[in-house]
Amino acid sequence: MELIKVTEQHEPHVALIQLNRPKELNALNPQLMQEVRDALVALDKNEAVRVIIITGNELAFAAGADIKQMADKSAIDMLLLDQFTTWDQIRKTKKPIIAAVSGFALGGGCEFVMTCDMVIASETAKFGQPEIKIGTIPGAGGTQRLTKAVGKAKAMELILTGRFLSAEEAHFYGLVNKVVPKEMYLQEAFTLAKEIAQLSPVAVQLAKESINRSFETHLDEGLTLERKNFYLTFASADQKEGMKAFIEKRKPDFKGQ
């Protein structure tokens, strides 16, 4: 593994996956997500592990997708790349996953957090789907899961403006379980993980499956639509301008084309 670190603590039956692209604020690229997928498959099969924590670092859980890898892609390129199939393993993992979040969880980072089962947030955490500011839309579940988490009106506001939620706001809207001081967020995630790990692994997995079935009814249809529309934005001049401006660190000039 090059872009993640995996640590297993067999005594409390907890495993930790740490995203490890600090210079890029843990920006999500296909290699990183493939490594996450492979780690989750292995940990799901490991009988010594009962709960999985995923984290980044104090500055960022993940500041978004790796825009430089997408900026020049066409709609067909994105369709054929099919980068989101690796993401499906996160929600298919049978064991509970806790996201421990500090700093930025934006774009794909926010979507990643929302695929997890529970979220412990540092008071410095910021959540958002700012894709609209670079001429595209969420493509890894943001329009679907954020709406289910915070409601239609707030999801519309956040996704259509690209505004961020503070940790306290995210807690108020039900996006996270608990907000703690920055120096405690990972410790608090382990406390929760160890509490769950002491219980029946079979019952925990069945309970998780049942809760997700309730939450994700009709999610597949929504994800299919979202992915199609995400790919279509790569046929627009606005997407090219938005991502180019992001890389060049300037304000984009959108033309509606």
Side-chain angles (χ1 to χ4, degrees), residues 212-231:
N212 280 340
R213 181 61 57 88
S214 171
F215 184 78
E216 294 180 350
T217 301
H218 306 308
L219 178 61
D220 284 340
E221 291 92 335
L223 289 173
T224 298
L225 176 65
E226 180 190 81
R227 290 178 187 183
K228 176 179 71 70
N229 290 341
F230 171 75
Y231 298 144

Side-chain angles (χ1 to χ4, degrees), residues 7-16 43-44 46-53 95-98 189-190 192-201 204-205:
T7 306
E8 298 176 28
Q9 297 189 3
H10 288 179
E11 182 60 33
H13 303 292
V14 177
L16 175 69
L43 293 172
D44 224 14
N46 186 341
E47 294 183 1
V49 173
R50 297 181 181 178
V51 183
I52 301 164
I53 298 172
K95 296 171 183 176
I97 301 174
I98 301 170
F190 269 103
L192 176 59
K194 287 187 283 187
E195 181 179 356
I196 296 169
Q198 293 174 4
L199 304 173
S200 163
V204 166
Q205 290 183 32

Side-chain angles (χ1 to χ4, degrees), residues 114-127:
M114 290 190 291
T115 63
C116 297
D117 302 308
M118 291 157 283
V119 184
I120 301 297
S122 157
E123 59 193 359
T124 67
K126 293 188 181 297
F127 302 85

Side-chain angles (χ1 to χ4, degrees), residues 82-130:
D82 195 18
Q83 67 192 56
F84 300 121
T85 55
T86 53
W87 289 66
D88 293 336
Q89 182 58 44
I90 304 171
R91 67 187 183 98
K92 290 178 181 177
T93 300
K94 295 177 182 179
K95 296 171 183 176
I97 301 174
I98 301 170
V101 181
S102 183
F104 297 116
L106 305 176
C110 187
E111 290 171 305
F112 194 162
V113 168
M114 290 190 291
T115 63
C116 297
D117 302 308
M118 291 157 283
V119 184
I120 301 297
S122 157
E123 59 193 359
T124 67
K126 293 188 181 297
F127 302 85
Q129 301 290 161

